[in-house]
Amino acid sequence: MLKLSKLATAVALVVAGSAAVAGEVEVLHYWTSGGEAKSVAELKKIMQGKGHTWKDFAVAGGGGDNAATVLKSRVVSGNPPAAAQIKGPAIQEWASEGVLANLDATAKAEKWDDLLPKVVADVMKYKGNYVAAPVNVHRVNWMWANSAVLKKAGVTATPKTWDEFFAAAEKVKKAGLIPVAHGGQNWQDFTTFESVALGVGGTKFYNEALIKLDQKALTSPTMIKVLETFRKVKGYTDAAAPGRDWNLATAMVIQEKAAFQFMGDWAKGEFSAAGKVPGKDYICAAAPGTGNAYTFNVDSFAMFKLKDSGAQKAQADLAASIMGTEFQEVFNLNKGSIPVRLNMSMDKFDDCAKTSAKDFVSTAKSGGLVPSVAHGMAIKPAAEGAIKDAVSQFWNDDKISVADGVKNIAKAAATK
Ligand code: GAL
């Protein structure tokens, strides 16, 4: 009897021990569309499988502006979530406030420095310490097209230049369908704008004008051509676009109401969730003129300093899970992005993802890899917000001349 009770005690201790280190993680994110929600549910499943409690803190509103506002109020009131979807230069701003947890123990144990491209690892660190875990690599300079709509309109080849695009858009319009599905938030306007800037001006112009915010580039003849092209795209959207959520614009392409959408490959998550197959139901192609370039958008979760040891353990497990091979595969298959962890097998991914993975590597070597301004990868949030507003004012008000649009955007870019 004594032996049995010793065994029972040992088992009880082990169970108690594991229960003690299980904790709750409250995670703030803005992944609320069909494809996004399916993706984040995979992280929840993995964390629950490790015995932790997942508290979902989802804030609707694609692009993350609403989530950023809610996060600020939570941190200011001294009640931050365990983790929040924060990326790019905003990571440095949050870290400089002294509120982010140091993830070096996990990063060292999991060998993150060997598993990440340096350009990504550097964004996740503040003064050399990891403070955020990267989730994926989204490509932003995509053009999505519905194959049946192009056929109906007599468009026989995917447009590679802006002249070819406008010729195709004209055919779709004549066929009585909406050429460009677009939603009316400033981050969506800027997503289209940056692809036009990249396609018309090339990566050198993109880096000078939109990353360095060089006034000469921002007021150059190239910038005039960019705004002329950008306005011409606007002419092929529908009157109900203002205020539309991005995933409802994607749904218009999925449901054969519209031909094209300029959007990052989180849109592919919507096609996948709708059971659509690339190459058959729809086409993924580089936005016109951007075939040799890649605007990257890396989602990441920054972790906040917490007092409770169980919550800290859960945070460490969350960070390790995010960079783990299981999550990196299943999340990105649903999200439309590609794994950020190097040397992952792409066997289960579709041709769009395989093209993205190949181009990510080749553009990193060629200089065609550029950060997405629209998605918070490139410049300080204050300047990004000011430029986005100036671009959206130009997009929304046809009475603003191209010359005034150039002036307004250059002025906004000078915001300190
Ligand atoms: C981006 C984010 C993507 C996607 C998109 C639409 O900023 O990085 O993961 O969610 O917004 O909400």
Side-chain angles (χ1 to χ4, degrees), residues 4 31 33 75 77 85 87 98 110-111 147 205 209 227 259 279 284 290 323 332 350 369 380 387 389:
L4 186 62
W31 289 328
S33 77
V75 177
S77 63
Q85 190 182 346
K87 52 187 186 174
E110 302 288 321
K111 300 186 175 21
S147 309
F205 169 78
L227 284 191
C284 57
T290 71
M323 270 291 286
N332 287 295
D350 63 31
L369 182 64
K380 287 189 178 313
I387 302 176
D389 288 345

Side-chain angles (χ1 to χ4, degrees), residues 30-31 36 62-63 87 138 187 246 266 297 299 335 375:
Y30 50 90
W31 289 328
E36 292 172 331
K87 52 187 186 174
H138 270 303
W187 68 271
W246 70 271
W266 45 92
N297 168 32
D299 282 313
K335 190 69 170 62
H375 295 280

Side-chain angles (χ1 to χ4, degrees), residues 4-355:
L4 186 62
S5 65
K6 265 190 179 170
L7 178 65
T9 311
V11 167
L13 278 175
V14 167
V15 168
S18 58
V21 295
E24 176 187 275
V25 273
E26 182 183 20
V27 180
L28 166 67
H29 63 86
Y30 50 90
W31 289 328
T32 55
S33 77
E36 292 172 331
K38 271 182 77 179
S39 312
V40 74
E42 294 300 336
L43 184 55
K44 175 178 174 182
K45 229 187 280 177
I46 290 172
M47 287 302 286
Q48 289 174 327
K50 292 187 173 182
H52 298 301
T53 307
W54 173 278
K55 194 171 170 194
D56 204 50
F57 183 11
V59 178
D65 293 344
N66 299 346
T69 307
V70 173
L71 176 61
K72 281 192 186 83
S73 62
R74 280 287 299 270
V75 177
V76 164
S77 63
N79 173 30
Q85 190 182 346
I86 299 173
K87 52 187 186 174
I91 294 172
Q92 304 305 311
E93 292 204 343
W94 276 108
S96 67
E97 299 291 329
V99 293
L100 298 187
N102 182 318
L103 302 177
D104 281 345
T106 302
K108 197 160 178 292
E110 302 288 321
K111 300 186 175 21
W112 285 6
D113 276 340
D114 302 335
L115 294 175
L116 288 171
K118 189 174 182 313
V119 68
V120 174
D122 290 347
V123 171
M124 301 300 137
K125 293 174 183 174
Y126 178 71
K127 294 185 177 167
N129 303 117
Y130 276 99
V131 290
V135 168
N136 59 6
V137 180
H138 270 303
R139 182 180 206 167
V140 182
N141 62 308
W142 283 112
M143 175 178 72
W144 309 94
N146 181 291
S147 309
V149 171
L150 295 190
K151 195 162 184 269
K152 205 180 287 178
V155 177
T156 52
T158 306
K160 290 197 174 6
T161 66
W162 285 105
D163 288 345
E164 289 172 5
F165 172 76
F166 291 122
E170 205 46 44
K171 285 183 176 174
V172 172
K173 192 173 173 182
K174 284 203 174 65
L177 293 158
I178 295 167
V180 177
H182 186 78
Q185 286 120 12
N186 72 2
W187 68 271
Q188 291 194 60
D189 302 338
F190 208 95
T191 298
T192 299
F193 173 74
E194 71 180 26
S195 281
V196 170
L198 190 59
V200 169
T203 47
K204 188 172 180 309
F205 169 78
Y206 183 97
N207 280 313
E208 289 297 316
L210 302 190
I211 309 296
K212 291 182 190 151
L213 305 180
D214 174 74
Q215 288 292 315
K216 195 163 159 292
L218 284 165
T219 54
S220 64
T222 303
M223 188 65 176
I224 291 171
K225 200 153 170 282
V226 166
L227 284 191
E228 287 166 346
T229 307
F230 185 54
R231 172 146 289 161
K232 204 169 172 185
V233 173
K234 160 70 184 294
Y236 287 103
T237 61
D238 66 305
R244 180 184 289 140
D245 285 332
W246 70 271
N247 53 311
L248 299 183
T250 311
M252 290 165 67
V253 179
I254 291 171
Q255 294 158 10
E256 303 185 17
K257 291 180 186 135
F260 300 102
Q261 183 185 21
F262 296 107
M263 189 49 71
D265 43 25
W266 45 92
K268 191 167 69 106
E270 302 304 298
F271 282 100
S272 306
K276 301 301 179 188
V277 178
K280 175 174 161 287
D281 302 309
Y282 68 97
I283 294 159
C284 57
T290 71
N292 298 323
Y294 189 117
T295 31
F296 71 84
N297 168 32
V298 173
D299 282 313
S300 46
F301 281 100
M303 316 269 165
F304 285 84
K305 283 176 181 164
L306 298 176
K307 294 187 182 62
D308 178 84
S309 62
Q312 288 168 358
K313 173 74 177 66
Q315 254 179 351
D317 279 355
L318 178 65
S321 301
I322 287 169
M323 270 291 286
T325 52
E326 179 196 3
F327 171 78
Q328 282 290 315
E329 180 171 86
V330 70
F331 174 86
N332 287 295
L333 282 170
N334 283 287
K335 190 69 170 62
S337 37
I338 58 173
V340 67
R341 179 183 170 127
L342 294 170
N343 309 319
M344 287 285 297
S345 163
M346 292 301 286
D347 292 351
K348 291 186 189 156
F349 289 83
D350 63 31
D351 288 346
C352 302
K354 285 173 178 156
T355 300

